[in-house]
Structures are given as C-alpha cells and as structure tokens.
Amino acid sequence: MNILNYKSEAECAINNPVLQKALANLQERIGKGTAQGYRELPEGPELRLKAHAIRMRSIENLDILLIALADGIRKNGGHIHFAYDGKTALKHCLEIARKHNVKLAVKGKSMLTEEIGLNHALNDAGIETVETDLGEYIIQLAGEKPSHIIAPAIHKTKEQIGRLFQDKLGIAYTDDPPALTRAARKALREKFLQADMGISGCNLACAETGHITTVSNEGNIRMATTLPKVHVAFMGMERVTADLKDHEILFRLLAMGAAAQKMAGYVSYIGGPARSGQTDGPEAFHLIVIDNGRSRILADTDFREMLCCIRCGGCLNVCPVYGKIGGHSYGYAYSGPVGAVVNPLLMGINRASDLCLGESLCGACMEACPVNIDIPRMLLLLRAKLAQGDKTWDVKVKSRVEQVSFAAWSCLIQSRPLYDLFLKTAYHGQKLLPRNNKMISRLPFAGKGWTQSRDLQPLAEQSFISRFKDNFAEKQND
Amino acid sequence: MTSTKTVTLFVQCLVDSLYPQVGEAMVAIFNKLGISMNCPSDQTCCGQPAFNAGYRKAARAAAKRFIKIFENSESIVCPSGSCVNMVKNHYQELFEDDVKWLERAVQTGQRTYELSQYITDILKIEDVGACCNGKITYHDSCHLLRGLGISEQPRRLIRNIKGAELIEMLESDRCCGFGGTFSVKYPVISTAMVDDKVHNIIASGADIVTGCDISCLMNIQGRLNRIGSSVKTLHIAQLLAD
C-alpha cells in the first residue's frame, strides 16, 4: 500500500557521505542561526506564538479573506482563478499560456508547482519551462527533484555541478562556485529576455491590499515576474493574511525560519499588471489559488493547524531525521517534518504511512517553526489513524499483527500478576539469546531491528517492584 | 535530614524490568534525603508505548489504570522524563472528550514530577551529597527538555556531585534516535542518529554519559556496547545515590 521508497531512499542518503556533510552543514548554519534569530527578535521569541494565533485566525476566516483578496487583485487589474485541484490549476495555466501564445516560460521556485506537476504539464504542451532559482536550475538540468524546500540542490557537490554545466551548458569544466554561478547567470539571462511568461509561487498574500508577496535571495523571482509579458502566480489557498500588520509579522518570521535572515534579499509586493506609464511589470497578471486537498484539511479541526504552515523549511533545518535522510526520501513536494504531516494528508495516509511512523517525535520541529505548529501532535494523530483505521480519511488499518500485539499488551498491563508472569517467562526465555559483553546481541522477530546495530540490556531476574516489596517496604514499616 | 514529605514512586516499565538498579538508586536518594516513600505494587505502565504507536484505546485503558492507582498520592515521582510528559501532557489529549477523566488526569498530572525536577524544584535541594570521580556528560532527552522544559535541574545536581566534572557534549539536545518503536521499525535511520550521539559523547572526553531517561540511555548504551566503547552509561539516579 505504501508507495514511497522511504526506507531505501533513506539508506541511500545515509550512505552518501557528501550528502551527510551537506545536511550537517545546513543544519549547523541555518538551524542554529534561526534559533538565535528568534531569541534576538525585538518582540522576543514569543512572537512565534502570536504568529500562530494570527495564522489560525486567518485559516478560520479563509473564505472571507480569499474573497477580499480576489476583489483586491481584480481592482488592481489582475485576474484570479480558483482551482479545486491540481488538474484544474494546470488547465487555467495552459489556457493563459495559449491565449498569450507562450513558447518559453521562466519560473521562480515554487513547491506548489512541484506539488501539481506544472513543469511536466507545460513541457507536454510544448512550452519550454526554465527554473531560474540557481538551485532549482541545477536540479532541472540534472533531471532530479528538489531535496530541500529552500535549498533544493543541497545534495549536489560543486564538482557534480561543474560536470553538469560542462555537459548541459557547454562550458569548460570548473568547480569554482562564482564561475559556475556566472555561467548559470549568463544562460538564464538569455531565457529571461526571451520568455513570454513568468511563473512564480506566492510566499504570502494580503487581503487588505490585494497583493501577493514573493521573496528570494537571487532576484530571479523579481526578474521572472516583471520581464515577461504575462505573470502567473500560484498560491496555496491557505497563504493569505488579513492585513498588512499581520503580513509584516509573518513576513519577518518567514525570512528568519527559512534562512535565519532578518529580511530576504529581494522582496516583491505584486498586486497586478504594470499600470499605464509604468515601465516595469507584465501586461497581464493572473493569480491561481489552489485547493488540492486543503479544504479537507481545513474541515478537520485535528489537522487544521497544519494550514498555518508558510513553507519556510525551518523544521527541516533542525529535524534529526531529515538531517540524516535528506529530502528525496519523502517522495513528494514537501520534505522534513512538514512533509511528514502534509504529504500523508494530501496524497493519502496509507500511501505515506512511512512518513507518519518514520519520525522519532523529538519535537525539535515545533521549536524551530516560526508559527509554532505542533507537528508531533499531528504525527501522533496520523499514527492513531493508521493503527485503528479511519473512515473520514479512508485509512485502512496498517498492521493487524501489531494491532493484536497491542491488544495483548493491553491485557498484560491491566494485571500485575499476569505482567509478572510474563516478565518471569521472558527472563528465562532470553537465556537462549546470544550475548555480547553481558548484553543481548540478537533479538528475534520485531526486535531484530534493534540488535541490527545495538545490544540490549537483558531483563532483570527480579523486577524493581518485587525488590521494593522484599527489601524496602518492610523496612519502612518497621 | 528528615522531612514530612512522602513520595509515591512511579517506576517506568523499563526501569522496573530491565534496570531495577535505577529504581533502587532513586530509593537510596530519598532515604538519604529523609523522604518517606511508598510504591504501589500493582503499577505496570503509563501507556506511552501504545499512545506513541497510535493505539489510543489501549493507551486510554492504561492511563485510567494509572490514574486510579496514583490519584490519591501527594507527590508522584518518576525517574523518566518521557513518562512524566505522558502523564502531564498526553493524558489530557487522551481524555479531551471525557470531562470526568480529564479532570482526574489533570489533577494527577499536576502532582507528577520527574526525579531531578522534584529534588531541585520541590525539595529545593541542589546537592544530594553524592560522590563520583569522573568526567560526566549529560544527554538532554527530548520529552524532558521540550515537553517538560527541564534542562538546568539535572545539570545543577550533577555539578554538585563531589569529584565529578560535567562536560557538555556537542548537541546534547539532539535526539538520540530512540523514538520507541521507531528504533525497531526504522533501524537504519535510528542507528545513524545514535551514531551521531555516540560520536559526540566520545568526542567530549567523558567517562560517563548520563541522563534522566533510561529509554534514551538504553539506546546509547546498546550502541556503545556494540562498538566496544569504554564510556559508561548511568542514569542520573545512579550517580546521585552514591
């Protein structure tokens, strides 16, 4: 049922020393920088809690805010389209492309377009689509998938990129990062100038003003959204804020969560096409607001909180599991702790069961989240659905064997005499198991996973409870 | 030292069955501090394994049993951060639709303490008069640190052990990779995580690694033993009892 290759991809990543070093470096630099940044906020780290409340309020008033945003965008001369699913969103985009006779599109980085498979659809329609974020560009040339929400090419070395550019851009081999960046810049500049359509995601939107906000550190999104004659922006329906006051707080926390920055290098507020007399900006602006499963999350109060996420990727930069397995193991647009909750909710809980179960529940993600989302709480709820099945989310019981084991465990712990009997039997049974320096070195059945790389303390001959009864309780009564 | 306080020992199932010496160390500490104790002999498990694996019905049954056994105790003390976090925080999630049990869960949770927290915050003792010659490094277990917000209390107790030197390892607050069934279901990922932890422990130059959760320590000890390291793993209660 589980279609992801979580375990094998994870093992691959763990055995890749280059990736391991890159992930450790990323977490050391950005993960720790973000934690420091929160402490230094003028309002203090409690701003994260305020931001959580702001996001929840927006989510709970989403219908009103989206109508206001649509009105604002139209007033600014833009067009707005609502897409129930990815397919409808693609249809809207292709229609716009056809209308404007688009041959070449340049794109700013957007995980949402990754979610709906936009590049693939555009290519199928004969429209060349070029990623312009340097990391995304590298990934696109290599024919791979991004492995981090904001650092998509984190898994590649400068030598690999040097060979890739030699092969794809026809330049002499170099692994000098500035030289490689210059080569990409030159190649991309030509695409920017030729492109008929610019595509971007949307980091935040503001209902009060009717604008969307894009942030980048390379300036590519600004170029992609101002040079071509038409700009199409994709926005997850949850990304709207009520007013500029809320927007400002989230916008600062976004930069801090994403890159430990006080503010991103390039920030654009885009409210529509260029007005007459303006020299910059597209002739037409379209905003495609996408549901694609988000209404279902909104409808479930247990998971509604997940819509607070602003996709900064901050949780990836601290997660000890992501820090080992990298982004590709998550098998979908979103990786790390956010992916472990969002992917199952969007693609099916059974299909992504490894994401719900393959986390250690350490809670580091929640502390790193700029809007303080309780990801462990939701992982536990997803596990409950897999354990017991769930009609609302069409979840089938993941393991009958485990279900029976826990039913047996439940009986066992309801009676101390029965529990003692079990411990005694297991104590004698464990004598058959091999030892390494007094510890058990090989366990049977489900325990095999443990002793693959670790030894286990054996069961004591007498439990503490029984020792206490024999040795301490009486003495105290004396 | 005498006190009018009585503590009720809440013994984590892993301590009860695998590491009874940790429970005995806790008894020795309270004896030393003149605190009287009782230990309900019918206790088994707080339900955390079932809760973490998603079996909420089984977890709820275990929680009800726990509450019935412990709810009349004055102070409930446990040598495990994650079990205390279960009782204090997760029981409320289990009973969110059951007002009667929720009230009992909250009442019980309010009187439940992790060992190092009880000694420092409630008894207001930072030096239990323990001795131990050696360099000690401390692992922050996740639920103790992030669920209960306890990090300074155990460190203060360790610093006051005569003859001991507390050396901080790198990333002491990073998960050791245990995660309950996670360690068995995803052994490759879990091992990669515990390897980082073990690396930082060894690199610290400490002779002893300690912590307030035997589950993490069991994971760390299991890996240290497998790779033949001489670093000793001891629960904080064992250090404080000597």
Side-chain angles (χ1 to χ4, degrees):
Chain A
M1 236 180 321
N2 196 328
I3 58 129
L4 301 176
N5 302 313
Y6 186 69
K7 284 185 183 177
S8 55
E9 288 277 359
E11 196 164 349
C12 231
I14 288 166
N15 292 326
N16 176 348
V18 171
L19 178 63
Q20 289 301 305
K21 210 176 138 198
L23 290 168
N25 183 31
L26 171 97
Q27 295 201 327
E28 175 66 30
R29 226 163 23 95
I30 306 186
K32 293 196 176 147
T34 297
Q36 182 62 26
Y38 290 150
R39 286 192 287 272
E40 288 168 4
L41 285 167
E43 298 91 337
E46 291 74 31
L47 189 64
R48 293 165 55 251
L49 309 184
K50 189 175 175 191
H52 186 274
I54 290 173
R55 284 299 288 147
M56 277 312 280
R57 205 171 52 232
S58 292
I59 298 306
E60 274 153 11
N61 295 292
L62 206 49
D63 47 351
I64 300 165
L65 294 183
L66 284 173
I67 291 168
L69 175 70
D71 286 346
I73 295 279
R74 286 191 197 105
K75 226 174 268 168
N76 291 333
H79 304 272
I80 191 153
H81 313 267
F82 287 93
Y84 175 69
D85 56 10
K87 234 184 183 159
T88 316
L90 295 174
K91 211 181 86 204
H92 285 311
C93 185
L94 289 172
E95 265 166 27
I96 298 163
R98 219 166 293 136
K99 214 173 98 188
H100 291 269
N101 199 20
V102 172
K103 302 265 182 315
L104 171 66
V106 283
K107 263 188 80 194
K109 197 170 70 57
S110 152
M111 297 316 290
L112 178 58
T113 61
E114 195 71 35
E115 177 187 322
I116 62 171
L118 177 67
N119 290 15
H120 196 71
L122 288 171
N123 283 332
D124 281 355
I127 298 164
E128 185 189 350
T129 309
V130 181
E131 294 285 353
T132 63
D133 172 271
L134 182 56
E136 285 285 348
Y137 182 57
I138 292 165
I139 295 307
Q140 189 182 35
L141 288 180
E144 294 173 10
K145 293 259 173 206
S147 68
H148 185 283
I149 291 176
I150 64 143
I154 177 86
H155 58 288
K156 302 201 81 73
T157 62
K158 58 183 196 279
E159 291 80 14
Q160 288 171 336
I161 296 165
R163 281 191 295 275
L164 180 73
F165 280 14
Q166 182 185 22
D167 182 29
K168 302 279 180 180
L169 302 183
I171 61 164
Y173 175 83
T174 170
D175 54 25
D176 174 44
L180 289 168
T181 309
R182 264 198 306 276
R185 188 173 190 262
K186 187 160 169 273
L188 284 173
R189 197 49 65 96
E190 283 162 27
K191 300 290 181 190
F192 277 126
L193 292 170
Q194 290 164 20
D196 319 287
M197 183 193 254
I199 296 168
S200 76
C202 159
N203 292 103
L204 291 169
C206 179
E208 182 189 17
T209 55
H211 84 264
I212 66 157
T213 304
T214 64
V215 298
S216 84
N217 282 309
E218 297 170 18
N220 62 307
I221 299 183
R222 181 169 296 168
M223 207 172 259
T225 56
T226 47
L227 280 179
K229 63 188 179 208
V230 52
H231 171 201
V232 180
F234 289 84
M235 172 184 141
M237 70 178 216
E238 77 284 6
R239 214 61 77 81
V240 64
T241 61
D243 53 30
L244 278 176
K245 219 169 81 238
D246 285 358
H247 180 277
E248 187 266 342
I249 289 173
L250 289 165
F251 163 64
R252 277 194 291 139
L253 285 169
L254 172 70
M256 194 52 79
Q261 289 175 309
K262 289 202 170 100
M263 193 191 262
Y266 295 83
V267 179
S268 300
Y269 287 13
I270 302 166
R275 303 220 171 98
S276 61
Q278 274 182 339
T279 49
D280 289 329
E283 292 162 24
F285 171 73
H286 294 263
L287 178 62
I288 302 178
V289 181
I290 301 180
D291 183 325
N292 208 30
R294 287 161 177 77
S295 288
R296 199 180 184 193
I297 301 175
L298 179 66
D300 189 330
T301 48
D302 278 345
F303 295 109
R304 184 175 291 173
E305 186 187 0
M306 203 57 225
L307 294 178
C308 293
C309 176
I310 49 177
R311 302 288 191 270
C312 69
C315 53
L316 280 66
N317 303 334
V318 297
C319 173
V321 173
Y322 175 86
K324 288 284 133 198
I325 71 174
H328 289 153
S329 310
Y330 295 81
Y332 198 51
Y334 309 105
S335 52
V338 44
V341 177
V342 166
N343 296 357
L345 294 177
L346 292 181
M347 71 196 280
I349 296 170
N350 283 111
R351 281 175 78 196
S353 63
D354 269 335
L355 302 188
C356 317
L357 300 167
E359 309 286 332
S360 71
L361 299 174
C362 80
C365 46
M366 189 173 171
E367 279 188 349
C369 176
V371 294
N372 202 48
I373 299 175
D374 194 346
I375 288 181
R377 179 186 68 81
M378 286 183 273
L379 284 172
L380 283 163
L381 281 166
L382 287 168
R383 289 182 181 191
K385 298 202 185 305
L386 284 166
Q388 294 154 351
D390 184 87
K391 278 199 189 115
T392 325
W393 287 90
D394 312 309
V395 187
K396 292 195 183 71
V397 171
K398 161 103 174 141
S399 164
R400 291 282 171 198
V401 176
E402 195 183 81
Q403 209 177 40
V404 169
S405 311
F406 269 100
W409 171 88
S410 189
C411 288
L412 209 57
I413 65 146
Q414 288 297 322
S415 153
R416 185 73 211 194
L418 198 63
Y419 187 67
D420 282 332
L421 186 68
F422 167 78
L423 289 180
K424 193 136 236 129
T425 315
Y427 169 75
H428 289 295
Q430 72 180 357
K431 288 179 183 159
L432 300 168
L433 300 170
R435 304 273 169 127
N436 167 31
N437 188 21
K438 293 182 187 157
M439 294 179 83
I440 296 167
S441 59
R442 203 166 68 238
L443 284 168
F445 315 117
K448 260 192 291 195
W450 181 275
T451 45
Q452 203 171 298
S453 60
R454 283 163 291 214
D455 298 325
L456 182 70
Q457 174 82 5
L459 285 164
E461 189 172 0
Q462 198 181 4
S463 73
F464 171 78
I465 296 292
S466 154
R467 289 195 201 188
F468 187 88
K469 259 196 287 190
D470 291 356
N471 305 330
F472 305 108
E474 280 157 27
K475 263 190 222 159
Q476 282 207 338
N477 292 337
D478 284 348
Chain B
M1 232 185 291
T2 51
S3 166
T4 53
K5 286 195 167 71
T6 300
V7 296
T8 301
L9 306 184
F10 159 21
V11 185
Q12 181 189 20
C13 53
L14 291 174
V15 167
D16 183 31
S17 57
L18 299 175
Y19 296 88
Q21 62 272 29
V22 172
E24 289 182 325
M26 178 164 69
V27 171
I29 296 168
F30 284 131
N31 272 333
K32 199 158 63 168
L33 299 177
I35 306 277
S36 52
M37 286 163 275
N38 58 61
C39 180
S41 58
D42 47 350
Q43 62 177 298
T44 50
C45 173
C46 67
Q48 189 187 185
F51 181 73
N52 284 353
Y55 297 90
R56 297 210 166 185
K57 216 176 119 194
R60 215 168 277 128
K64 284 186 178 174
R65 189 169 184 277
F66 179 94
I67 292 168
K68 279 187 217 156
I69 293 171
F70 284 95
E71 66 186 335
N72 294 318
S73 304
E74 176 190 315
S75 301
I76 304 153
V77 181
C78 175
S80 158
S82 72
C83 302
V84 173
N85 185 51
M86 176 73 196
V87 173
K88 269 184 128 56
N89 297 327
H90 293 315
Y91 275 14
Q92 298 186 29
E93 274 171 75
L94 281 176
F95 297 118
E96 62 188 1
D97 298 325
D98 187 338
V99 186
K100 230 177 67 202
W101 275 101
L102 179 64
E103 174 65 22
R104 290 170 76 175
V106 170
Q107 289 292 332
T108 310
Q110 278 167 353
R111 278 178 276 122
T112 307
Y113 306 93
E114 183 277 327
L115 176 64
S116 72
Q117 175 192 35
Y118 185 75
I119 297 172
T120 50
D121 295 353
I122 304 301
L123 298 179
K124 309 280 182 203
I125 294 171
E126 299 198 348
D127 185 349
V128 296
C131 300
C132 170
N133 284 318
K135 294 177 191 162
I136 300 170
T137 193
Y138 174 78
H139 163 67
D140 287 280
S141 45
C142 297
H143 297 169
L144 180 80
L145 176 69
R146 285 179 275 270
L148 302 173
I150 297 172
S151 74
E152 262 314 300
Q153 295 91 324
R155 286 182 166 84
R156 268 185 254 142
L157 291 168
I158 296 166
R159 278 195 205 99
N160 285 318
I161 298 174
K162 209 167 278 157
E165 184 193 346
L166 174 66
I167 310 179
E168 292 289 347
M169 68 173 103
L170 278 177
E171 306 203 300
S172 65
D173 62 348
R174 196 163 168 95
C175 178
C176 73
F178 174 63
T181 51
F182 167 76
S183 58
V184 180
K185 286 181 183 167
Y186 301 90
V188 176
I189 306 173
S190 170
T191 302
M193 289 162 73
V194 74
D195 268 343
D196 276 2
K197 180 56 69 180
V198 161
H199 173 84
N200 285 335
I201 291 167
I202 294 171
S204 76
D207 319 305
I208 297 168
V209 55
T210 192
C212 298
D213 272 272
I214 206 68
S215 43
C216 311
L217 294 173
M218 173 176 85
N219 184 37
I220 292 168
Q221 183 193 25
R223 187 63 184 156
L224 283 169
N225 194 64
R226 179 61 63 90
I227 63 170
S229 164
S230 62
V231 177
K232 273 190 7 192
T233 312
L234 289 170
H235 189 278
I236 191 167
Q238 293 170 288
L239 291 174
L240 298 177
D242 284 340

